Amino acid sequence: MMLASGIFAAGRFRLRWGAMHGGNAEPALVMGIVNVTPDSFSDGGVHFDTAAAIAHGERLIAEGAHMLDVGGESTRPGAAEVSLDEERRRVLPVIAALAARGYCVSVDTRHAALMREAIDAGASIVNDVAALRGPGAIEVCAASDVGVVLMHMQGEPGTMQRAPTYDDVVQEVGDFLRDRARACEAAGIAPNRIVIDPGFGFGKTVEHNLELTRRLDELVSTRYPLLAGWSRKRTLGDLTGRQIPAQRAAASIAAACACVERGASIVRVHDVAPTVDALKVWRAMRPDSEYFAVGTPQR
Ligand code: 9MG
């Protein structure tokens, strides 16, 4: 498969990936995760403090992240709900500080009011696990120039893993994402601002997650770039036997590479430095790579 390429328009940023930019092309964009939650499933709340979260975001940028996703509500199955005020208190200072440093910052929220406030604080992307279905969400995004990530989820975070069911998971997830993207376009969001995401682990069994990954090219064939978020997820624990999320870095990187191989344009990850390294090596070893080809001068 040819490496996909394109540009994601997110606020004042134009984020490029793929084949068309010569030997130094980024094979995919890396979104680094900054969880500002005490109960986040994978970092155990180590970035809960505002200052620590800002420092963590800076570290991820230094490691090669192209954008940072800041979230204050854990969406892991069974996580405690937080009030909008608490979510606001957690994320807004972190977003403002990271955006002021010139970084491309995404807000991970389902609430339109917080989307608006995060955009005012400098966020360039809205990452919504509910795909902008909440009241007012699509309008807030359409009234700004942010990029949007539309994720598929069956059910609600508290209960979604009880009995997820599909006739054809790839077809159903694809139909949902196409519908949501069309709704965004109808509301005035330009196609180059829209990213779709199958939502690994959100109302999906191990088999569903694997089927979506194996057939990811069917979702990539929509004209929207695709974000893959496999990082440290439970299915990787089931596949490897690693019950501690922080020990799933190698599994997460393998999953990220598998998704980029099938055309994903963005990977959302906790472990930025090793993911960036892995993608560089994966890229250099592709049959269409120009890196160090025999008979060509090294760049
Ligand atoms: C917030 N969050 C947790 N997992 C995610 C995933 O896979 N994709 C997106 N877009 N957001 C996620």
Side-chain angles (χ1 to χ4, degrees):
M1 192 197 218
M2 282 294 292
L3 195 56
S5 64
I7 300 176
F8 176 34
R12 65 194 168 83
F13 296 91
R14 296 293 172 270
L15 301 157
R16 295 159 196 274
W17 73 92
M20 67 188 180
H21 310 295
N24 294 326
E26 302 288 352
L29 298 167
V30 175
M31 173 184 267
I33 299 171
V34 181
N35 284 322
V36 200
T37 57
D39 62 344
S40 170
F41 77 102
S42 62
D43 63 19
V46 288
H47 306 119
F48 188 42
D49 169 64
T50 302
I54 295 166
H56 183 63
E58 290 194 299
R59 193 158 51 245
L60 296 186
I61 292 287
E63 289 178 2
H66 302 93
M67 58 194 108
L68 300 170
D69 191 34
V70 180
E73 181 196 34
S74 174
T75 44
R76 83 182 149 80
E81 284 201 14
V82 294
S83 69
L84 180 56
D85 270 347
E86 176 60 11
E87 197 182 337
R88 195 178 256 140
R89 192 192 66 70
R90 292 178 185 179
V91 300
L92 289 178
V94 178
I95 290 171
L98 293 171
R101 286 160 171 75
Y103 307 146
C104 180
V105 180
S106 159
V107 60
D108 155 20
T109 186
R110 295 185 279 167
H111 300 111
L114 185 51
M115 290 173 192
R116 174 73 266 156
E117 291 158 7
I119 294 166
D120 291 344
S124 302
I125 300 172
V126 168
N127 172 30
D128 183 3
V129 299
L132 303 183
R133 282 176 294 163
I138 211 163
E139 290 80 6
V140 164
C141 294
S144 77
D145 60 359
V146 287
V148 297
V149 180
L150 307 173
M151 199 199 78
H152 175 273
M153 167 169 61
Q154 187 181 84
E156 288 295 313
T159 51
M160 64 191 177
Q161 288 307 103
R162 281 192 193 152
T165 353
Y166 302 85
D167 288 328
D168 179 337
V169 66
V170 180
Q171 186 67 45
E172 288 168 48
V173 168
D175 288 347
F176 171 87
L177 293 172
R178 275 184 285 270
D179 276 2
R180 293 309 302 153
R182 268 196 290 270
C184 286
E185 286 198 46
I189 302 177
N192 65 352
R193 291 170 52 196
I194 300 173
V195 169
I196 59 168
D197 178 348
F200 297 115
F202 284 80
K204 286 148 194 120
T205 62
V206 175
E207 290 77 13
H208 295 141
N209 291 322
L210 291 176
E211 183 71 2
L212 281 163
T213 306
R214 292 180 186 125
R215 294 168 55 198
L216 203 68
D217 53 324
E218 293 177 40
L219 300 177
V220 168
S221 68
T222 66
R223 60 196 173 115
Y224 307 102
L226 184 143
L227 181 149
W230 261 109
S231 191
R232 298 187 182 180
K233 286 200 174 150
R234 173 68 187 271
T235 291
L236 299 176
D238 292 340
L239 292 173
T240 58
R242 300 210 180 265
Q243 294 313 312
I244 299 171
Q247 293 178 351
R248 296 176 191 154
S252 304
I253 292 162
C257 288
C259 290
V260 175
E261 174 71 36
R262 290 165 182 80
S265 308
I266 306 175
V267 288
R268 180 179 181 277
V269 304
H270 297 84
D271 304 290
V272 168
T275 305
V276 168
D277 284 0
L279 287 172
K280 279 184 184 156
V281 173
W282 170 86
R283 171 86 173 96
M285 292 181 171
R286 279 182 56 88
D288 62 352
S289 173
E290 294 170 17
Y291 281 99
F292 306 120
V294 173
T296 56
Q298 292 182 9
R299 286 186 252 229

